[in-house]
Amino acid sequence: MDGEKAGLQSRLESFVESALFRNGITALILVNAVLLGLETYALPPDVAGAFLIADKVIVYIFAAEILLKLFVYRVSFFRSGWNWFDLIVVTISLIPAAGPFAVLRALRVLRLFRLFSVVPEMRRVVMALAKAIPGMGSIMMVLGLIFYVGAVMSSKLFSGTHPEFFGDLGAAAFTLFQVMTLESWSMGVARPVISEHPLAWAFFVPFIILTSFAVLNMFIAVIVDSLQAKHFDEETDRQNKATDERSLLREEVTALRGEIAELKTLMLSGQAKPARKAPGEDEDRP
């Protein structure tokens, strides 16, 4: 009985880890994404009802997938952060979106993030971004310090003529964030201020150079370096695995050569032994 159960679990594990199962879940996630997007339009009642039924069916399939993985992996299921992510997203989808939980209806779109856990390539990118977060912390501190100094300075300089932009610390920080993104910064912010303060360009130009062109490019450099490091680590792991396999193969070949040499030695020693004489046979024949 235990053997049959172990065989069933082994077959289910092979099925869960197969490409067919993974591709099927990916297809369901993509179909769910299309349905959620179409629900934002004004649809006929019968079409909207059909979409709601399809959405529930997909959620139940996702729940069955989680239960299947729990049966296959048991306690090891909870050792993976991606499994925790899938479990939380599917659990949120199963909560009735009514009454105080009506806001959860908008969170159904989080199911699309399950592509991160299903598609290995996307999962590697997310893991590389997560590894880049510690490196971006110091850059964010530098950027925050520049923003704080710039917000205080601009509030002191321009709040008298442009209180809507630099009236207080919060307004000045938001305006400088708009300037950093280069969104309507010239005609919307800088030129109106320069018309009242001709030397204001001496503040805006260095601020844009420091934030938009220097610090933000450092973010990109850290992320690219993390992606390259992730690729290098994976390549190193593959090379180490190949080296271990070659070492194991070399040891097996050496052992086979030793066994062959022992067989040759035994065969040669057997051929070198003189033939035993029959009892009563004289040593010297006439």
Side-chain angles (χ1 to χ4, degrees), residues 4-272:
E4 294 179 359
K5 186 176 180 180
L8 176 62
Q9 186 173 358
S10 177
R11 291 193 296 270
L12 288 176
E13 183 176 358
S14 300
F15 173 70
V16 168
E17 295 178 353
S18 65
L20 177 63
F21 183 83
R22 184 172 60 251
N23 293 336
I25 295 299
T26 304
L28 282 177
I29 295 174
L30 295 176
V31 170
N32 194 204
V34 174
L35 293 178
L36 291 174
L38 292 176
E39 286 181 2
T40 60
Y41 295 93
L43 300 173
D46 53 347
V47 177
F51 282 2
L52 182 60
I53 294 174
D55 182 77
K56 289 183 178 180
V57 170
I58 291 175
V59 171
Y60 293 150
I61 294 175
F62 288 159
E65 175 207 359
I66 297 297
L67 292 176
L68 183 60
K69 287 184 177 180
L70 282 170
F71 175 77
V72 170
Y73 299 118
R74 305 296 177 88
V75 180
S76 60
F77 174 88
F78 300 100
R79 296 174 183 171
S80 173
W82 293 109
N83 290 337
W84 275 104
F85 177 77
D86 292 342
L87 180 62
I88 293 173
V89 170
V90 174
T91 302
I92 291 175
S93 301
L94 290 173
I95 298 175
F101 300 103
V103 68
L104 296 179
R105 184 174 180 83
L107 297 180
R108 293 183 304 161
V109 73
L110 293 177
R111 278 178 264 166
L112 306 185
F113 287 144
R114 292 200 60 211
L115 284 174
F116 294 154
S117 62
V118 175
V119 181
E121 290 77 10
M122 298 179 69
R123 186 165 60 244
R124 282 195 290 267
V125 173
V126 173
M127 293 176 65
L129 291 176
K131 290 182 64 176
I133 290 177
M136 291 190 293
S138 57
I139 301 176
M140 292 183 66
M141 293 176 62
V142 172
L143 185 61
L145 182 60
I146 294 174
F147 256 89
Y148 186 80
V149 172
V152 173
M153 185 182 298
S154 60
S155 180
K156 298 291 186 181
L157 294 174
F158 312 129
S159 60
T161 56
H162 297 82
E164 70 278 14
F165 293 148
F166 305 100
D168 52 34
L169 181 64
F174 184 80
T175 301
L176 292 180
F177 182 80
Q178 177 184 347
V179 172
M180 182 192 69
T181 60
L182 304 179
E183 178 64 27
S184 302
W185 72 274
S186 178
M187 301 303 297
V189 178
R191 291 190 181 276
V193 174
I194 292 174
S195 65
E196 299 289 338
H197 305 273
L199 296 179
W201 63 268
F203 170 81
F204 287 108
V205 172
F207 181 82
I208 291 174
I209 293 175
L210 286 174
T211 57
S212 298
F213 299 146
V215 178
L216 290 184
N217 284 332
M218 292 176 66
F219 276 106
I220 298 174
V222 170
I223 293 173
V224 171
D225 181 70
S226 178
L227 290 171
Q228 290 179 345
K230 181 68 176 175
H231 177 73
F232 178 77
D233 292 341
E234 292 177 354
E235 187 65 26
T236 302
D237 292 339
R238 285 195 292 268
Q239 291 179 357
N240 292 336
K241 185 178 180 180
T243 301
D244 294 339
E245 291 178 352
R246 286 195 295 268
S247 299
L248 181 61
L249 183 61
R250 190 178 296 110
E251 292 176 358
E252 292 179 352
V253 171
T254 303
L256 287 175
R257 287 178 177 175
E259 293 177 358
I260 293 173
E262 291 179 0
L263 289 174
K264 286 183 177 179
T265 303
L266 291 174
M267 293 176 62
L268 292 175
S269 62
Q271 292 178 359

